[in-house]
Amino acid sequence: MKCLIGQAKAKRGIAAALINPYLDRVCIAGARGTGKTTLLQMVLSYFSKEDAVIIPSHITTEKLLGEKEIALFSQNIGKPNNQSILHQAKVVITDQFALMPENNQRLVVQLLKNKGMSFYQDFHYPATSKWFYCLDQEMQDTSLLKHAKLCVRLIPVLEVSEREDILVSRGNPEQEYTKEELKKAKDRLSSVQIPEKMLQLAVEVVIRSGCKNQEADMDLIETARSLAALDSDQSVQPKHIEEAAGYALTHRMGEQQESTNPENSEQQVNEESSMNSSEDTSHSHPSSGNEENPLDYDGQDQEASGDSIPNEAPQDNPIITEVSEEEVDQVIASLKMQSDFLFSKQHTYPSSGNGKHREGTSAGGNGRMLRAVQRPAEAISLYHTLTAAAPYMKVRIPPEGMKLAIEKEDIRYKLKEKQQGFTILFLVDASRSIAAKKNMRVIKGAIMELFQQAYQKRDRIGMVTFRKTESEEVLSFTNKFAEAKRKLGEIPTGGKTPLAAGLEKALKLCEKEKRANKQGMPYLVILTDGNANETLKPGGTAAQARSEAYQTAKRIAQEQLPVTVIDTQSGRNAFGLAEELAAVIEGEYLSLDTLTDKNIAKAVQSRLHPLEGRR
Amino acid sequence: MKNYPFTAIVGQDKMKKALILNGINPKIGGVLIQGEKGTAKSTAVRALADVLTNTSVVNLPVSATEDRVVGTLDMEHILKTGEKKLEPGILAKADKNILYVDEVNLLEDHLVDILLDTAAMGVNRIEREGVSYEHPSRFVLVGTMNPEEGSLRPQLLDRFGLCVDVESEKNVEERMEVVRRRLNFEQNQEQFETKYEQDQNQLTYQIQHAKELLPAVEVNDHLLRAVADLSIELGIESHRADITVIIAAQTLAAWKQRTEVQLEDIYEAAELALPHRLLQDPLKENTSGQKLTELLNHKVVDNQ
């Protein structure tokens, strides 16, 4: 247990979680090599081997849900085991949680959250298990942090000396917890009092932190209580609240940031705005629940969180008699710093937002069965296995206790496929030639219609525009349509037409998407008049620009991407350039002239969804 | 582990009302609870079963396998005896119960299809792997979701009879009370339960009573017209909306121990049954909710 030097703060957080049954979901965050796994091993050492379940990131859905062990494959024809791997576990460990396929991540979280709710025959969720999971700070998806009630952070060794100073000055010398110590602390836990003042402080800290999750109130209080028990204190003190906030709130403040502005990397700035926005929301509901408020302090939340409250002063706590604004501020300030730190690593990896771990072709053991195959897959199809074995029944002798004789070569597996929407990338010409008001309106209308259809079909969409000298990825692949709509409305127009740059960018994105998501071929929709008058390196002639564009178009054709070119040039003065482009790119050509926006959408969708029968 | 008592949940009256109405009358068609995390959504759903007689909450995990949901061959049986036998799935268990889907917006698409099929017919048909079988599966669909994490497919949205938005409490004192009760509950579950036993029994009785009263509740034509007017005024295409409003209003009347639906019941029901049907266009700005509230307030004032 002493293998981890320093990191006293993390250890204390873990200890707090271990002694309190309420704190059952803990995240360990830290940069690579800061000892996350070592810390997990420390956690494991507190439990006996039988009580611990370690879930590898490649676990199948069946194993999580519980599967029937067929007598065919197990020698002991006794009680078949159809319980989930999580059944009766006291501690559940997922070291590389971020690497788990998304559907299994959700499953794990739901199983561990909704404890004690049955859903399948006698199956019950683990009633007492604690869950510890690790997240690598460099590649973490901030959304995974929110599952935890507590988050402990491992700090790089460089800063240890500095951090230790802080800890020492707080009067918490570094310590290791033995099993006995923890047991004693656990016994003390129930007798730790929570003064009303501390309750109020906790709630106000949560509200002021901008954390929307009301559950945080409870987590913060329970953590503070655990910390008090560890310190052998009779009641929760402000310092415990402050310390607990570091464990229970920092990761949720990030959640707030994420929800206000998911793709923004400037989180420090955002922090401020999220604080304000939370204040705003409390302003907008000033009267909620006033009538029932027994302690009539005008019911103004913002006042309550701002001013000190003089008319309520229980005497449990001699040290502090009222919650001052200063105090809340102090806790908030320290939280902000910690939260920044927790989320800071993201700045250096701006592009690592989405699409890191995607289901492979086998759909992670879930999905609809396509057909039976002999190649081993995740699940056996009994029906097809039996059918395969059927002709041999007369000549084979079944093993004892079995009616049927099945050999290894009979076994058939399920090939599953997950239903998935298409990925559509819109490449929109936003240059001067298109910017004519009417044209742009029609184009936006058309895109909107496509968005709408895509939304219903669960397709993902992305958008790239090009104008002046460069192209811009306005919208990375998403299915958040409200956002897509907003982005569409904000597209600036005007300037020259760097068609080549636009095509280049589109090709790059499609390639990236193809790599990340092997199942779906991205579909490219280009809205342009086909005219190019800006080269990749600004300043070239129109002829150069056009030849560059055609070169890129040829490469797109080689990739065999399905493409539709929609000509935005209206009737009389059409030069046929877009049509030419469509020919080079080996895509379909549509003209805005003959199409209203609804028709465009239909045309594109009908090209997409002949495939629908297959999925 | 015990469930937190339904009656001990602080605030969130609209959500509680919607759940109780579904408990009284499963025909309402379930409820979708939208809101931020930590607003007692799951707690309330789980607690509901305790105040209903003969009903349990069946959980459908968002990433469950198709086998588990619709049912599959009983492998054990088939191997030992050579006979085909169906092993029922979650949908069989959900019959006459509450089917609870946490984070319903994240439910995998293939499961959504199954759910829509079954919910439409009230029957789960199994046609796979050489099995042909069907069994009734009439459930009250209760879903919770956080809209920030993705939107719900429109077809599935329309399946939910009622829809409520929950928000986290902003009042410090109220929140302290939430924590206080929760702490007491964690400290001593038995004692906490005893404290709320009377309330729980009372609620169980009220629900039971309303159930008995329900068949006798009448709606006059004048009110039916009011519902139709309301839908037209709001531009709602779905007839299911009208029907749901009427059924919910009947249930509300029974809950208030009346055998006649009054106009206020209609408006109260509309407030629960219409908000999610207004959002026909996911891309439009979300002002329709406000429109509904304004219109309803207006109507209530007019009728006083």
Side-chain angles (χ1 to χ4, degrees):
Chain A
M1 219 189 301
K2 286 231 164 108
C3 46
L4 204 59
I5 313 289
Q7 311 292 16
K9 194 165 180 227
K11 281 186 228 168
R12 211 166 128 82
I14 296 281
L18 283 171
I19 60 168
N20 192 335
Y22 185 83
L23 304 168
D24 56 357
R25 298 192 298 270
V26 182
C27 171
I28 301 170
R32 223 171 301 149
T34 42
K36 295 190 296 295
T37 310
T38 318
L39 198 60
L40 277 182
Q41 265 151 10
M42 185 192 102
V43 171
L44 275 175
S45 69
Y46 290 110
F47 294 88
S48 71
K49 222 173 173 185
E50 300 82 60
D51 291 339
V53 172
I54 299 168
I55 303 182
S57 56
H58 55 266
I59 190 166
T60 62
T61 312
E62 274 87 3
K63 200 76 194 169
L64 282 173
L65 282 173
E67 66 187 338
K68 264 210 162 156
E69 206 173 296
I70 316 162
L72 176 68
F73 305 113
S74 70
Q75 287 308 306
N76 48 335
I77 305 169
K79 211 170 145 235
N81 170 27
N82 64 347
Q83 292 293 1
S84 156
I85 185 172
L86 301 176
H87 181 66
Q88 287 186 335
K90 289 232 171 65
V91 61
V92 176
I93 305 272
T94 47
D95 193 351
Q96 295 288 352
F97 188 61
L99 298 183
M100 208 179 263
E102 218 173 304
N103 58 337
N104 283 350
Q105 282 177 353
R106 272 187 228 128
L107 194 61
V108 169
V109 172
Q110 286 207 347
L111 289 175
L112 290 163
K113 248 188 194 164
N114 301 333
K115 289 179 187 174
M117 204 192 311
S118 75
F119 76 99
Y120 191 69
Q121 289 178 359
D122 307 325
F123 180 87
H124 280 271
Y125 294 123
T128 52
S129 70
K130 279 183 181 298
W131 177 38
F132 292 86
Y133 67 103
C134 285
L135 285 180
D136 198 327
Q137 206 155 348
E138 270 133 51
M139 59 173 293
Q140 79 190 201
D141 206 341
T142 46
S143 65
L144 294 178
L145 280 169
K146 71 184 174 195
H147 302 308
K149 285 189 170 171
L150 277 195
C151 176
V152 300
R153 205 179 59 242
L154 289 170
I155 40 188
V157 182
L158 289 171
E159 292 183 39
V160 162
S161 57
E162 189 190 329
R163 289 273 158 169
E164 266 177 344
D165 286 348
I166 299 169
L167 288 172
V168 170
S169 70
R170 271 196 197 162
N172 293 324
E174 188 189 330
Q175 51 190 308
E176 304 286 350
Y177 300 97
T178 62
K179 269 189 187 180
E180 288 72 48
E181 273 176 312
L182 285 186
K183 200 176 171 303
K184 274 184 201 148
K186 201 169 181 172
D187 295 339
R188 282 197 297 268
L189 184 67
S190 59
S191 60
V192 174
Q193 297 296 314
I194 301 166
E196 278 291 295
K197 280 279 81 118
M198 290 304 101
L199 200 61
Q200 189 181 341
L201 176 65
V203 170
E204 285 183 4
V205 164
V206 173
I207 292 179
R208 286 285 302 278
S209 77
C211 166
K212 282 199 213 157
N213 190 343
Q214 209 176 324
E215 230 177 290
D217 294 359
M218 199 53 201
D219 299 343
L220 180 57
I221 284 284
E222 285 290 355
T223 312
R225 208 154 69 103
S226 287
L227 292 171
L230 284 175
D231 289 351
S232 315
D233 277 343
Q234 288 299 306
S235 66
V236 173
Q237 319 257 330
K239 65 173 186 194
H240 295 133
I241 299 275
E242 189 178 338
E243 197 186 345
Y247 298 122
L249 284 183
T250 41
H251 62 294
R252 292 192 163 114
M253 290 168 78
E255 185 189 327
Q256 165 79 2
Q257 294 168 357
E258 180 202 42
S259 63
T260 24
N261 214 340
E263 76 291 338
N264 199 343
S265 55
E266 297 163 45
Q267 262 150 358
Q268 264 114 341
V269 185
N270 202 7
E271 185 80 57
E272 280 301 319
S273 69
S274 69
M275 300 274 291
N276 294 339
S277 75
S278 83
E279 290 259 330
D280 289 348
T281 38
S282 69
H283 274 282
S284 60
H285 305 278
S287 61
S288 55
N290 276 347
E291 298 82 2
E292 292 143 87
N293 195 342
L295 293 162
D296 178 32
Y297 44 85
D298 297 339
Q300 301 282 341
D301 317 343
Q302 59 270 38
E303 238 171 69
S305 59
D307 299 350
S308 56
I309 296 109
N311 56 350
E312 192 206 20
Q315 303 304 311
D316 324 17
N317 194 333
I319 304 161
I320 186 152
T321 48
E322 53 187 48
V323 180
S324 68
E325 185 178 7
E326 215 173 295
E327 222 173 336
V328 178
D329 280 349
Q330 183 194 332
V331 179
I332 294 288
S334 106
L335 271 182
K336 258 171 77 174
M337 210 181 69
Q338 294 183 39
S339 176
D340 279 352
F341 194 83
L342 186 62
F343 289 89
S344 63
K345 277 287 172 349
Q346 282 221 326
H347 299 295
T348 48
Y349 295 83
S351 63
S352 70
N354 283 327
K356 260 188 296 62
H357 33 75
R358 200 153 290 289
E359 294 87 347
T361 34
S362 71
N366 208 339
R368 176 165 289 160
M369 181 177 163
L370 278 184
R371 59 178 177 275
V373 290
Q374 249 175 314
R375 174 172 54 89
E378 268 147 2
I380 287 174
S381 166
L382 184 69
Y383 174 69
H384 294 96
T385 305
L386 290 179
T387 317
Y392 307 103
M393 284 306 147
K394 287 203 169 149
V395 295
R396 285 184 191 161
I397 301 151
E400 200 182 331
M402 297 277 178
K403 195 94 180 175
L404 308 172
I406 293 163
E407 299 292 332
K408 227 176 180 171
E409 63 262 26
D410 301 330
I411 294 172
R412 297 289 182 275
Y413 297 86
K414 290 176 179 175
L415 182 68
K416 291 177 178 180
E417 193 188 53
K418 193 166 258 176
Q419 241 185 33
Q420 220 165 22
F422 288 91
T423 310
I424 309 175
L425 181 68
F426 292 92
L427 179 61
V428 181
D429 187 345
S431 65
R432 193 192 311 128
S433 53
I434 302 293
K437 250 187 190 162
K438 192 189 153 219
N439 247 346
M440 207 57 206
R441 216 169 50 218
V442 175
I443 292 170
K444 281 187 181 174
I447 297 177
M448 193 54 76
E449 189 62 30
L450 283 166
F451 279 5
Q452 183 114 25
Q453 299 227 6
Y455 169 77
Q456 282 166 6
K457 297 250 161 66
R458 303 300 257 187
D459 297 335
R460 290 161 71 239
I461 48 172
M463 187 161 50
V464 173
T465 61
F466 55 96
R467 62 186 278 266
K468 284 186 175 170
T469 56
E470 53 178 22
S471 66
E472 189 193 352
E473 183 180 1
V474 182
L475 185 74
S476 47
F477 290 112
T478 179
N479 48 11
K480 289 180 186 148
F481 290 85
E483 193 188 331
K485 189 210 164 192
R486 194 168 47 78
K487 287 278 169 67
L488 184 66
E490 290 167 359
I491 293 179
T493 54
K496 290 179 122 181
T497 319
L499 180 59
L503 290 172
E504 196 79 39
K505 186 109 186 184
L507 180 61
K508 226 167 88 193
L509 285 173
C510 286
E511 275 175 341
K512 192 172 142 204
E513 176 62 21
K514 225 164 100 180
R515 265 202 307 277
N517 189 355
K518 292 186 185 72
Q519 267 185 310
M521 178 79 88
Y523 183 87
L524 182 62
V525 179
I526 305 173
L527 291 106
T528 179
D529 55 4
N531 192 14
N533 57 19
E534 182 65 283
T535 45
L536 286 173
K537 272 192 187 143
T541 63
Q544 280 174 335
R546 202 166 305 157
S547 86
E548 270 182 3
Y550 283 177
Q551 271 167 22
T552 317
K554 270 181 200 143
R555 275 172 44 217
I556 292 177
Q558 275 165 14
E559 285 289 320
Q560 297 187 317
L561 287 175
V563 185
T564 294
V565 178
I566 297 176
D567 193 349
T568 54
Q569 191 70 263
S570 51
R572 250 159 265 152
N573 41 3
F575 302 117
L577 288 170
E579 201 163 359
E580 214 169 295
L581 178 71
V584 175
I585 218 164
E586 291 174 23
E588 196 182 15
Y589 171 79
L590 295 170
S591 167
L592 260 194
D593 262 355
T594 51
L595 297 169
T596 61
D597 32 339
K598 286 223 167 176
N599 280 338
I600 294 178
K602 241 183 232 159
V604 173
Q605 283 292 331
S606 69
R607 256 213 77 174
L608 272 181
H609 289 280
L611 294 163
E612 206 176 17
R614 280 206 282 138
R615 50 165 174 156
Chain B
M1 198 167 119
K2 287 197 158 62
N3 280 334
Y4 190 81
F6 192 81
T7 43
I9 296 167
V10 182
Q12 311 294 11
D13 295 328
K14 227 168 130 184
M15 172 176 73
K16 283 193 275 189
K17 183 162 71 184
L19 286 171
I20 288 172
L21 290 181
N22 270 294
I24 297 170
N25 188 359
K27 288 203 182 103
I28 291 175
V31 55
L32 174 67
I33 305 170
Q34 295 195 62
E36 298 151 359
K37 292 161 72 70
T39 38
K41 290 178 302 222
S42 314
T43 312
V45 178
R46 268 177 278 174
L48 180 67
D50 291 342
V51 289
L52 301 176
T53 38
N54 301 326
T55 308
S56 62
V57 177
V58 179
N59 187 18
L60 173 60
V62 284
S63 301
T65 55
E66 200 178 333
D67 291 1
R68 273 297 157 96
V69 178
V70 297
T72 185
L73 286 174
D74 186 338
M75 302 199 181
E76 183 94 17
H77 190 83
I78 213 167
L79 288 171
K80 281 190 174 147
T81 64
E83 289 163 10
K84 274 197 267 191
K85 188 185 155 200
L86 187 88
E87 192 177 343
I90 294 173
L91 287 175
K93 204 180 172 204
D95 189 29
K96 299 195 187 80
N97 285 324
I98 296 165
L99 184 65
Y100 171 56
V101 192
D102 195 9
E103 296 176 302
V104 64
N105 47 341
L106 302 179
L107 191 66
E108 300 206 6
D109 273 358
H110 66 276
L111 295 183
V112 172
D113 294 347
I114 295 167
L115 210 58
L116 286 173
D117 261 2
T118 314
M121 311 295 292
V123 174
N124 177 28
R125 283 204 177 79
I126 304 156
E127 293 288 353
R128 46 182 289 176
E129 294 163 342
V131 202
S132 282
Y133 185 72
E134 60 176 62
H135 63 78
S137 182
R138 291 175 198 282
F139 47 80
V140 175
L141 185 60
V142 178
T144 58
M145 66 179 264
N146 183 353
E148 280 166 10
E149 287 168 359
S151 41
L152 199 63
R153 240 161 85 177
Q155 300 98 312
L156 187 57
L157 192 61
D158 195 47
R159 278 285 151 208
F160 286 98
L162 310 180
C163 175
V164 285
D165 281 322
V166 288
E167 269 179 358
S168 57
E169 185 62 56
K170 299 293 187 302
N171 183 305
V172 176
E173 185 52 38
E174 287 276 302
R175 281 177 77 141
M176 284 166 70
E177 180 59 27
V178 173
V179 177
R180 240 180 255 131
R181 287 196 194 176
R182 192 81 216 187
L183 283 171
N184 287 337
F185 175 72
E186 296 292 329
Q187 199 82 301
N188 191 338
Q189 302 195 351
E190 275 81 21
Q191 197 187 327
F192 192 78
E193 209 167 49
T194 328
K195 202 170 145 197
Y196 283 91
E197 204 175 357
Q198 207 183 339
D199 288 353
Q200 290 281 94
N201 289 341
Q202 170 84 8
L203 183 60
T204 310
Y205 171 76
Q206 277 177 336
I207 291 174
Q208 197 55 40
H209 188 65
K211 266 185 185 170
E212 286 157 16
L213 209 58
L214 188 62
V217 178
E218 284 173 7
V219 196
N220 65 34
D221 286 354
H222 167 66
L223 292 176
L224 292 180
R225 181 175 293 274
V227 173
D229 282 347
L230 194 63
S231 286
I232 291 166
E233 208 163 324
L234 290 164
I236 295 172
E237 292 165 6
S238 159
H239 290 293
R240 187 179 288 133
D242 298 5
I243 297 165
T244 310
V245 172
I246 296 284
I247 295 176
Q250 279 176 314
T251 316
L252 266 170
W255 171 242
K256 292 173 188 162
Q257 304 185 13
R258 276 191 267 108
T259 52
E260 196 169 89
V261 176
Q262 293 176 0
L263 200 59
E264 59 169 85
D265 300 331
I266 298 279
Y267 293 138
E268 211 176 325
E271 202 187 348
L272 297 170
L274 297 183
H276 58 304
R277 299 180 208 274
L278 289 168
L279 305 170
Q280 294 280 338
D281 187 350
L283 304 172
K284 286 209 178 108
E285 302 298 329
N286 185 9
T287 52
S288 37
Q290 292 164 8
K291 193 177 151 196
L292 175 68
T293 322
E294 275 166 29
L295 187 71
L296 287 176
N297 287 340
H298 205 65
K299 294 249 175 196
V300 171
V301 172
D302 279 355
N303 283 292
Q304 267 166 3

